[in-house]
Amino acid sequence: MAPPMSASGFLDALRAEGVTVVEVGDWRHHNRNHKGPWGPVHGVMIHHTVTKGSARTVEICRDGHPDLPGPLCHGVITKDGTVHLVGYGRANHAGLGDDEVLRAVIAEKGLPPDNEANTDGNRHFYGFECENLGDGEDPWPQEQLEAIERAAAALCRHHGWTERSVIGHREWQPGKVDPRGFEMSWLRERVRERLKDEGLSFGSCRARGD
């Protein structure tokens, strides 16, 4: 069981992995902790936003909307590869998902099909929303894909997780399709290769909400 790192530790881990970070407002204290526990954490979840325009995307992910209050993730990864930190703690990004998937993530094994929505994911996953229309045609710039890889690897490196702790929203909650436009197996392989670099070792919108 892994307790969440501190907000400062989260920021430091991202920067140590070479991520370009922008801090948005009082992100360290912007969360949904009053709605339930945050942690133990077991993995990193990747989403696409179904939005266009970086400024608007960051605003939506920070503030949410009437039927889903923000923050909708911890970091927003825009097209240029910048990670905008919009919240820290419990966030409305994962929603209810499959308990068997969570067990597989904890055991770092291959994922079973997600066919149930019976487990609180907002408690257990760090979340990154990635700016993309999610239509299968909107491109994923190389800078953005590298930032997704680096951000996921940073958290895995800190917690001692393998690439199997990185999952897509579509692998967690039945009916979800994000992230659309690249395969999670491909991303996990990139994270796996990055984690081999010991020289980088650090310190050794579309789900149900609350």
Side-chain angles (χ1 to χ4, degrees):
M1 296 176 62
M5 65 183 83
S6 67
S8 293
F10 181 70
L11 175 61
D12 290 345
L14 292 173
R15 286 178 169 165
E17 203 71 35
V19 177
T20 299
V21 178
V22 171
E23 300 180 69
V24 181
D26 188 20
W27 67 274
R28 296 167 186 262
H29 304 104
H30 185 46
N31 56 57
R32 302 286 296 165
N33 289 357
H34 63 288
K35 287 294 186 177
W38 163 232
V41 288
H42 298 300
V44 183
M45 190 173 295
I46 307 299
H47 307 257
H48 65 227
T49 60
V50 197
T51 60
K52 184 176 182 179
S54 296
R56 176 173 177 268
T57 295
V58 171
E59 181 181 8
I60 290 172
C61 289
R62 184 190 186 282
D63 298 337
H65 41 82
D67 58 342
L68 191 65
L72 304 185
C73 59
H74 302 104
V76 184
I77 305 179
T78 49
K79 292 277 192 180
D80 64 356
T82 301
V83 178
H84 304 257
L85 301 184
V86 297
Y88 199 69
R90 186 179 177 90
N92 275 339
H93 74 99
L96 294 177
D98 195 304
D99 60 336
E100 293 183 357
V101 171
L102 181 61
R103 285 195 289 272
V105 170
I106 294 171
E108 298 200 307
K109 296 181 178 180
L111 300 178
D114 55 324
N115 53 24
E116 295 183 287
N118 58 9
T119 300
D120 176 14
N122 294 336
R123 175 179 184 176
H124 296 301
F125 289 94
Y126 297 101
F128 291 97
E129 284 278 1
C130 307
E131 180 190 353
N132 192 274
L133 292 175
D135 57 4
E137 298 180 4
D138 191 16
W140 291 90
Q142 184 59 39
E143 296 87 348
Q144 187 179 29
L145 291 173
E146 182 173 335
I148 296 169
E149 170 195 334
R150 287 176 182 269
L155 304 191
C156 290
R157 196 184 300 280
H158 175 92
H159 287 293
W161 297 333
T162 74
E163 76 282 355
R164 290 186 179 274
S165 290
V166 182
I167 70 171
H169 195 195
R170 66 175 182 252
E171 298 174 306
W172 168 248
Q173 190 178 74
K176 300 301 179 181
V177 300
D178 55 314
R180 189 176 180 190
F182 61 86
E183 293 300 321
M184 287 303 301
S185 58
W186 171 84
L187 177 60
R188 282 189 282 268
E189 177 61 22
R190 287 187 58 158
V191 171
R192 186 179 75 85
E193 290 299 314
R194 174 165 287 277
L195 290 173
K196 289 180 179 179
D197 189 346
E198 293 298 330
L200 289 174
S201 180
F202 172 72
S204 33
C205 319
R206 299 337 50 137
R208 299 176 195 170
D210 319 301

